[in-house]
Amino acid sequence: MKKLLSLMLLFLFFQFAVYGETAIAQDTKIVLKRGACYGECPVYTLTIFADGNVLFEGQKYVKVLGRQEKKISDDQLRQLLQKFSEIDFPALTAKAATLECYTEAADVPATEVSITEHGKTLTMIHDSNCYGDKLFQKLDDLAKTIDQIVDVND
């Protein structure tokens, strides 16, 4: 029994030592929603699941209307999760609740980004083109990174 346990522990250690990756929570889900404007702003919802499956639902001003499915790699998903970590998304969402959005345009689309992990969901919504705090730029950059990695509407 001790030998079996030792072999299992050695195997697990080897897996983490070689790959250096942490497991992705099974309930992980990233959602990006782009809202409408008076012009031709793309309107869509993009959902990324823990297994790398992506669901894109294009409503207006996108290359393909309707539902598209795609898969991204574990590395791409980890890259997105790393971006959430780098910008400290939980702190950003808390800070965003205390800020006002300043913009020079009356007609700007809303951007919503949310992440679910370990049973908790954090969501941040703001009008694109907000200024007055670097937080808004971080959210815009995060949304662009999601778009670039998934590459569904291009």
Side-chain angles (χ1 to χ4, degrees):
M1 183 68 179
K2 269 186 167 180
K3 229 179 191 180
L4 180 62
L5 184 58
S6 295
L7 284 173
M8 288 175 59
L9 289 173
L10 184 61
F11 175 75
L12 288 172
F13 174 77
F14 179 76
Q15 289 294 318
F16 285 107
V18 170
Y19 298 110
E21 298 173 349
T22 56
I24 296 170
Q26 289 184 338
D27 69 339
T28 298
K29 181 170 70 171
I30 297 170
V31 179
L32 169 63
K33 294 181 182 180
R34 301 267 192 191
C37 67
Y38 293 121
E40 296 182 8
C41 301
V43 179
Y44 60 90
T45 301
L46 189 152
T47 306
I48 305 165
F49 299 93
D51 61 1
N53 284 322
V54 177
L55 174 61
F56 177 88
E57 298 172 280
Q59 288 106 28
K60 289 182 180 181
Y61 305 111
V62 292
K63 289 192 178 187
V64 179
L65 291 174
R67 182 181 175 124
Q68 295 181 64
E69 294 181 19
K70 181 179 181 171
K71 187 163 179 86
I72 61 172
S73 70
D74 285 350
D75 287 342
Q76 289 172 308
L77 181 54
R78 280 190 174 84
Q79 186 180 350
L80 287 174
L81 295 173
Q82 178 63 32
K83 185 72 174 175
F84 276 89
S85 179
E86 284 172 8
I87 65 170
D88 194 3
F89 194 72
L92 260 141
T93 57
K95 185 177 179 185
T98 66
L99 296 175
E100 287 191 44
C101 171
Y102 301 101
T103 182
E104 293 174 2
D107 173 36
V108 291
T111 299
E112 177 180 331
V113 177
S114 70
I115 184 167
T116 301
E117 283 185 297
H118 308 290
K120 295 181 181 177
T121 301
L122 294 172
T123 302
M124 189 169 156
I125 305 168
H126 85 93
D127 290 337
S128 298
N129 302 322
C130 286
Y131 63 90
D133 195 283
K134 291 181 182 179
L135 172 143
F136 300 121
Q137 186 59 49
K138 287 181 180 182
L139 181 65
D140 286 339
D141 291 346
L142 176 61
K144 286 176 189 170
T145 299
I146 294 168
D147 279 332
Q148 289 168 350
I149 288 175
V150 172
D151 192 32
V152 174
N153 192 41
D154 289 333

